[in-house]
Amino acid sequence: SPSFMHGMAWRCRIAPLFISILIIPFNNRKQRKNNKIVMSSSASLLLRRNRNDCWNRQTSIIITCQLLIICLVAITSNNNHYYVNGLLQQGRGHNSNRINTKRIKSSSSSIIISSQQQQQQQRQYQQESHLSQTPRRQNEDITTTTTTTRFTAPPSAAAQQQQQPSLAQIEQEIVRLGRRGRTDDALRLYHSVSQPTTIRILNSAIDACARARPTRLAQAFELLEKGIREKQLEPNVFTFGSLMSACARAREADRAIQLLRSMKKDYGVTPNAIVYSSAISACSRGAIRNPKKYKIALELVKEADGIEDLELNVIGYNAALSACANAAAYEDAMQLFDTMQDKHLVDPISYGTVMAACEKAERWKEVLEYAQQMNACGLVMDGWTITSALHACQQLGLAEEGLFYLEELKGLSKSNATRHRRQTAGWERKGASRASSLNGPDGVAYRLAISACARGGQWEKGTNLLDEMEDVTGQKPDVMAYTAAITGCEYAGEWWQAFSILNEMRQQNVAPNEVTMAAVIGACATACGKQQQSNDNDNKDNDDDSSSSESQLCLKKALQLLNVMKKDPTIVDPTIVVYNAAIRTCAEAREIKAAFQLLNDAESRRLKPTIITYGTLMTACERAVSVEGMDQVFSLMKIANDENNHVGKDIIPNEIVYGAAISCLRKASQPERCVSMLRKMIRDGLKPNIATFNTVLKAQTEGRKPKLQNALEVYKMMRAAKDPIITPNRQTFSVLIEACCARQQPQGAEAFLRLMRKSGYKPDVDLYTLTVASYERARQPLKALRLMESMEDDGYDFYSIAPLNTAFKNAVKLVNSVVGSKKTSSSSRRRNSYNNNDGEEDY
């Protein structure tokens, strides 16, 4: 019946309305704003239909409600005008006589573009693209702000023909897809363009290949060749900019240089600053594989500076700095940085890059100097720059500076970390490797700070950082952090604190490694050495077993820990590194037998001793003054060297082994063997340091009768080395002057005093006193007085120095007595001559 049909019609129209209401909350604010005009104009149009007809009025209300709801729901797709057109067609189809088509078009003109307007825009865009030689964007291949436009199939063929996207929209969509990492979709859209394309669209497709992961370099060059050959397109500077960007991301420095040279020659396109920056960036990334590529980057910088109307910006210079950093060419990086400062092109990234170059070359002092310059200039250091400064503090053992930079890293906020960061518009390519910003201290920063405290003697502050690490970073200290703290205890000899941290690691379920165990045993070794040295200095005349007992306790703890590892290798399987630390503990405790037993134990476990092992054994012999043990170590090294010849790992005595052996011979009062050992060391091609030469000199000059001649021969050997590192120091001259005075040769002592002043060392008062006293004993007072007068050149006043004042008085008395005796002898001779000559001589 009509009433039934009328009710079903209402239900059929109201049901979608309620379903649509449920979807409305999922629409965002921007989409509702874009469809406001369509909803208001279309609703007012439909409500103006014949109000006298109840059926038409009801239909108009239903259609209006559907229009409002569907426009809100359909905005999840960008083709909202298709749904609007379909709804309007439905309204026209229901009662076409009462719809004003012109009014519909005028009310919907803000969003629905007619086919004629689109064709007119396409013709205008093509004219701009082909006639204009300067594209409208400056850096099309790197940064482009895109407007999101999606292309979905229209519901009908007629609507599809009317709503065909423009070339500008196609270009924007290719850029969007490329920056989202959808390279295949971008290229598929590029090849689907049936109408004549433009160079701008080709540039967008090449840029999409450049942003692919991995970079599609071959496909980018293929697009260029086909665009020139098949589509008769003329590449512009931005075409080559996109290709150069692809070469940079693919680390193809040679291809980038080849492309740069062919731009002007083959295509008549002059490179701009952006193209040069991309070419330099390609060389920078290529320097990772081939460090020599950094030189090409520097040559490109010089080439760009020599071109008129071309100013290379800070990005290009930073790329060249990065090339130097990748090649660890810190000197060239510093020189380029000075050039950038002269041109006022330095930014925080420049500082961070030159610091990275110095860090890679292990120029730690220069790293800290640039960090101080940044603070002086008021520039904000990012997280990675502060980490480089922390690394320098760790290597130099600067505890206070390391803690300062750690505090700087704590106060680093996101705004400060990204304030000077260069931003790029649009989307980054999908999967691109980009270092995340460091907005606060992480585990690496804390490990560096703890190690800096350890090397700087601030072991207590280093251990406190362990408790702070978890609160700040949210990460529990790992084995490297604990090992760094234990290393601080090792340097300080705090063996009990080292064991305490090791126990804390067990409670925190952090498994130690061999370096950790070696550091704990090394702490025992350092404690033994300090206690033995204290015992030698304070208890020379009396016997005190307290220090000896403490040393034995440290040795006992170290050996107990080694035995625990041997019984349960699951904890840590003791390696030769652990055994070296244990042998060092025996050496510092002067237990030479235990040291050799540990060597035999290590060899029984099929561990190969290293040069460090034999050097530690030689140190044990030196501490115990065992010449027999020294000879045994040399014999063991010779046997090990013969066994390892076929392996290629020679065990040859180095400077440390020879230095410990010479010190052992000096303590054993064998000066002749010291000289022979020094000569053998030089014959083996080794370079003794100044400490080794001074040890040999001391061996010659000690005792009641110093061997001055041997000491002078050693001094000649030192001067014959002609090494700037091996130059006589204050200790060298002091030993020689004392030896000359002891052998009653004040002239030699005075000669060495002059050499000492010439070398930049100010002689001590004791050396002057010894020399003056030597002149007095040799009954040469005038030379003693002359020497005391020369002391004024060094700022000494011998009248104010009691020993020299006494020496001066004695010298004056000696001079007077000598002069008086000379006068007496002279007058007697004259009297005898007068008597013999009967007064003929004129007195």
Side-chain angles (χ1 to χ4, degrees):
S1 63
S3 62
F4 175 77
M5 296 298 298
H6 179 69
M8 289 299 295
W10 271 98
R11 289 183 180 91
C12 292
R13 294 186 180 275
I14 291 175
L17 186 142
F18 285 105
I19 294 174
S20 302
I21 289 175
L22 298 176
I23 310 176
I24 290 177
F26 296 98
N27 299 324
N28 56 34
R29 185 180 302 172
K30 183 177 179 181
Q31 292 171 333
R32 290 197 295 269
K33 181 178 179 181
N34 293 337
N35 292 276
K36 185 185 294 183
I37 301 176
V38 178
M39 291 186 292
S40 60
S41 60
S42 301
S44 61
L45 172 65
L46 293 176
L47 288 175
R48 291 177 183 176
R49 301 174 71 176
N50 189 357
R51 298 180 181 179
N52 297 327
D53 191 345
C54 179
W55 174 258
N56 290 335
R57 186 166 59 252
Q58 293 175 354
T59 305
S60 300
I61 293 173
I62 293 173
I63 292 175
T64 303
C65 293
Q66 278 191 329
L67 177 65
L68 294 174
I69 300 304
I70 291 175
C71 285
L72 290 174
V73 176
I75 57 180
T76 56
S77 174
N78 285 337
N79 295 316
N80 297 329
H81 48 277
Y82 294 141
Y83 293 94
V84 176
N85 285 339
L87 190 60
L88 294 179
Q89 293 291 341
Q90 180 182 2
R92 288 199 295 269
H94 182 78
N95 196 348
S96 58
N97 295 329
R98 295 191 178 98
I99 296 180
N100 191 341
T101 306
K102 294 182 180 181
R103 190 174 296 172
I104 292 175
K105 290 183 179 181
S106 62
S107 63
S108 304
S109 60
S110 61
I111 190 171
I112 303 174
I113 303 175
S114 64
S115 176
Q116 295 179 357
Q117 291 175 342
Q118 287 187 357
Q119 294 177 0
Q120 183 178 0
Q121 289 181 358
Q122 290 178 3
R123 287 194 298 269
Q124 183 178 359
Y125 178 76
Q126 292 176 0
Q127 292 176 0
E128 293 177 358
S129 301
H130 288 287
L131 295 179
S132 177
Q133 295 295 330
T134 304
R136 61 184 178 88
R137 289 175 296 182
Q138 184 179 1
N139 194 1
E140 186 179 20
D141 58 337
I142 299 178
T143 57
T144 308
T145 304
T146 61
T147 304
T148 303
T149 307
R150 298 183 183 179
F151 300 95
T152 56
S156 62
Q160 182 179 6
Q161 185 176 1
Q162 292 178 359
Q163 301 299 330
Q164 186 176 6
S166 64
L167 294 177
Q169 291 175 327
I170 293 175
E171 177 199 354
Q172 294 174 356
E173 180 66 8
I174 293 175
V175 172
R176 186 188 70 84
L177 293 174
R179 296 198 171 189
R180 283 182 176 265
R182 298 169 58 182
T183 309
D184 293 332
D185 296 338
L187 296 179
R188 192 179 299 111
L189 179 59
Y190 170 76
H191 291 299
S192 66
V193 178
S194 59
Q195 51 189 329
T197 184
T198 62
I199 191 62
R200 298 171 67 93
I201 297 180
L202 175 62
N203 295 345
S204 302
I206 295 175
D207 183 68
C209 295
R211 295 177 182 273
R213 188 71 175 174
T215 305
R216 302 185 182 182
L217 184 60
Q219 198 168 3
F221 277 93
E222 184 180 356
L223 288 175
L224 175 64
E225 294 176 358
K226 288 185 178 180
I228 296 174
R229 184 177 64 254
E230 298 177 0
K231 300 182 180 182
Q232 286 76 39
L233 297 176
E234 294 183 0
N236 55 20
V237 67
F238 297 111
T239 309
F240 292 99
S242 299
L243 284 172
M244 198 68 72
S245 178
C247 295
R249 285 173 171 146
R251 299 181 181 180
E252 292 289 342
D254 297 333
R255 195 75 178 270
I257 299 301
Q258 183 180 1
L259 180 64
L260 180 66
R261 302 309 178 200
S262 64
M263 284 179 60
K264 184 69 175 179
K265 180 180 178 181
D266 299 337
Y267 302 96
V269 179
T270 302
N272 59 5
I274 297 175
V275 174
Y276 269 100
S277 299
S278 299
I280 296 171
S281 179
C283 297
S284 173
R285 300 188 182 189
I288 299 176
R289 300 175 182 174
N290 186 4
K292 295 182 180 180
K293 297 296 181 184
Y294 88 94
K295 296 183 179 180
I296 303 178
L298 296 179
E299 291 177 359
L300 290 177
V301 172
K302 294 180 180 180
E303 180 180 337
D305 290 340
I307 300 177
E308 297 181 359
D309 300 331
L310 193 150
E311 294 183 359
L312 199 63
N313 56 13
V314 68
I315 299 175
Y317 277 100
N318 286 342
L321 277 177
S322 179
C324 297
N326 292 332
Y330 74 96
E331 294 180 348
D332 294 320
M334 294 171 63
Q335 185 177 0
L336 181 61
F337 184 82
D338 295 338
T339 303
M340 295 174 63
Q341 283 185 324
D342 296 338
K343 296 185 177 182
H344 304 286
L345 292 175
V346 176
D347 62 357
I349 298 177
S350 308
Y351 274 101
T353 308
V354 71
M355 288 173 63
C358 296
E359 179 184 9
K360 194 169 183 179
E362 298 183 357
R363 305 293 297 186
W364 309 114
K365 293 183 179 179
E366 286 78 1
V367 172
L368 293 181
E369 288 178 359
Y370 283 115
Q372 294 172 0
Q373 289 182 19
M374 287 193 70
N375 292 329
C377 296
L379 298 176
V380 178
M381 300 173 65
D382 61 3
W384 302 115
T385 307
I386 297 177
T387 303
S388 298
L390 260 176
H391 192 191
C393 295
Q394 182 258 349
Q395 291 292 327
L396 297 175
L398 302 177
E400 297 297 334
E401 289 80 356
L403 294 174
F404 168 77
Y405 285 111
L406 182 63
E407 292 296 328
E408 289 288 320
L409 199 56
K410 290 179 186 177
L412 193 64
S413 61
K414 276 190 176 182
S415 58
N416 290 336
T418 58
R419 181 182 302 173
H420 299 281
R421 185 179 179 86
R422 182 166 55 91
Q423 301 290 342
T424 56
W427 294 85
E428 295 287 345
R429 59 180 179 149
K430 184 178 180 181
S433 60
R434 182 182 63 184
S436 58
S437 59
L438 185 62
N439 299 322
D442 57 354
V444 176
Y446 267 93
R447 287 194 291 269
L448 291 174
I450 293 172
S451 182
C453 293
R455 298 186 179 188
Q458 301 287 339
W459 64 271
E460 293 180 345
K461 294 181 179 180
T463 55
N464 293 334
L465 291 177
L466 288 175
D467 302 329
E468 181 185 311
M469 180 177 176
E470 184 176 0
D471 298 334
V472 176
T473 64
Q475 303 175 4
K476 292 184 178 181
D478 56 0
V479 63
M480 297 179 65
Y482 279 114
T483 303
I486 293 175
T487 304
C489 300
E490 177 189 2
Y491 295 153
E494 301 292 336
W495 63 272
W496 56 271
Q497 183 66 28
F499 277 97
S500 177
I501 297 175
L502 183 63
N503 186 35
E504 181 181 350
M505 292 179 64
R506 184 181 61 83
Q507 295 175 356
Q508 296 295 332
N509 295 324
V510 178
N513 54 22
E514 61 179 26
V515 181
T516 309
M517 293 301 191
V520 175
I521 297 176
C524 298
T526 306
C528 288
K530 287 186 175 182
Q531 290 164 3
Q532 291 291 345
Q533 185 177 4
S534 177
N535 189 21
D536 293 340
N537 295 333
D538 300 335
N539 302 311
K540 292 183 179 180
D541 298 331
N542 53 2
D543 294 333
D544 188 3
D545 296 336
S546 59
S547 298
S548 178
S549 61
E550 292 180 3
S551 177
Q552 293 298 322
L553 178 61
C554 294
L555 177 61
K556 181 180 177 181
K557 290 291 184 182
L559 295 180
Q560 285 178 351
L561 182 59
L562 178 61
N563 291 330
V564 169
M565 288 185 285
K566 289 165 60 178
K567 292 180 181 179
D568 189 4
T570 58
I571 300 175
V572 170
D573 189 10
T575 61
I576 193 62
V577 177
V578 180
Y579 272 96
N580 290 342
I583 294 173
R584 175 172 168 253
T585 307
C586 295
E588 297 297 344
R590 301 179 183 179
E591 294 289 341
I592 187 171
K593 292 183 179 180
F596 279 99
Q597 288 177 359
L598 287 176
L599 175 64
N600 297 331
D601 188 13
E603 291 178 343
S604 65
R605 296 175 64 88
R606 297 182 180 180
L607 297 176
K608 293 294 183 181
T610 62
I611 188 63
I612 299 176
T613 309
Y614 293 108
T616 309
L617 275 174
M618 189 65 74
T619 302
C621 299
E622 187 268 341
R623 296 288 192 271
V625 194
S626 175
V627 178
E628 182 181 357
M630 179 198 72
D631 295 333
Q632 185 178 357
V633 172
F634 278 116
S635 300
L636 291 174
M637 293 184 70
K638 186 177 184 303
I639 295 173
N641 188 27
D642 295 339
E643 293 177 353
N644 294 334
N645 277 336
H646 64 280
V647 183
K649 296 181 180 179
D650 296 337
I651 304 296
I652 301 175
N654 57 9
E655 290 85 354
I656 297 176
V657 175
Y658 274 110
I662 290 174
S663 179
C664 178
L665 293 173
R666 177 216 162 197
K667 291 181 178 180
S669 300
Q670 297 186 12
E672 292 81 4
R673 288 196 65 181
C674 288
V675 177
S676 62
M677 188 70 68
L678 179 64
R679 295 182 185 277
K680 185 177 184 301
M681 183 179 180
I682 296 175
R683 286 197 304 269
D684 291 343
L686 301 176
K687 293 183 179 180
N689 55 18
I690 189 62
T692 304
F693 275 106
N694 290 339
T695 302
V696 178
L697 283 174
K698 287 182 179 179
Q700 309 306 313
T701 58
E702 291 175 341
R704 295 181 179 179
K705 293 182 179 181
K707 299 181 181 301
L708 183 59
Q709 191 64 31
N710 293 343
L712 294 177
E713 290 180 2
V714 173
Y715 177 75
K716 291 179 180 179
M717 292 168 59
M718 184 190 308
R719 301 292 292 184
K722 296 181 179 181
D723 192 340
I725 300 177
I726 307 174
T727 55
N729 57 11
R730 180 180 295 276
Q731 186 180 12
T732 307
F733 290 113
S734 299
V735 171
L736 291 171
I737 292 171
E738 292 174 359
C740 291
C741 293
R743 297 296 294 180
Q744 298 298 323
Q745 293 189 11
Q747 294 88 351
E750 185 177 1
F752 280 115
L753 282 174
R754 289 194 297 268
L755 287 175
M756 189 175 183
R757 286 195 299 266
K758 187 177 180 181
S759 300
Y761 299 104
K762 181 180 178 181
D764 297 332
V765 176
D766 296 337
L767 298 178
Y768 277 110
T769 304
L770 287 174
T771 307
V772 170
S774 179
Y775 272 123
E776 289 179 359
R777 288 191 297 270
R779 301 185 65 84
Q780 296 179 0
L782 294 178
K783 292 182 179 180
L785 292 175
R786 186 174 64 249
L787 179 61
M788 285 188 286
E789 290 177 356
S790 65
M791 291 176 59
E792 296 180 355
D793 298 336
D794 295 329
Y796 292 120
D797 184 9
F798 61 87
Y799 289 108
S800 61
I801 302 173
L804 290 178
N805 190 16
T806 303
F808 173 73
K809 293 179 180 178
N810 294 333
V812 171
K813 291 180 181 179
L814 184 60
V815 169
N816 292 332
S817 62
V818 171
V819 171
S821 62
K822 287 184 177 181
K823 287 183 177 179
T824 304
S825 61
S826 177
S827 60
S828 62
R829 285 195 300 269
R830 283 195 295 268
R831 284 194 301 269
N832 294 331
S833 175
Y834 177 77
N835 294 328
N836 294 329
N837 295 328
D838 297 331
E840 292 181 358
E841 183 178 359
D842 188 5
Y843 176 70

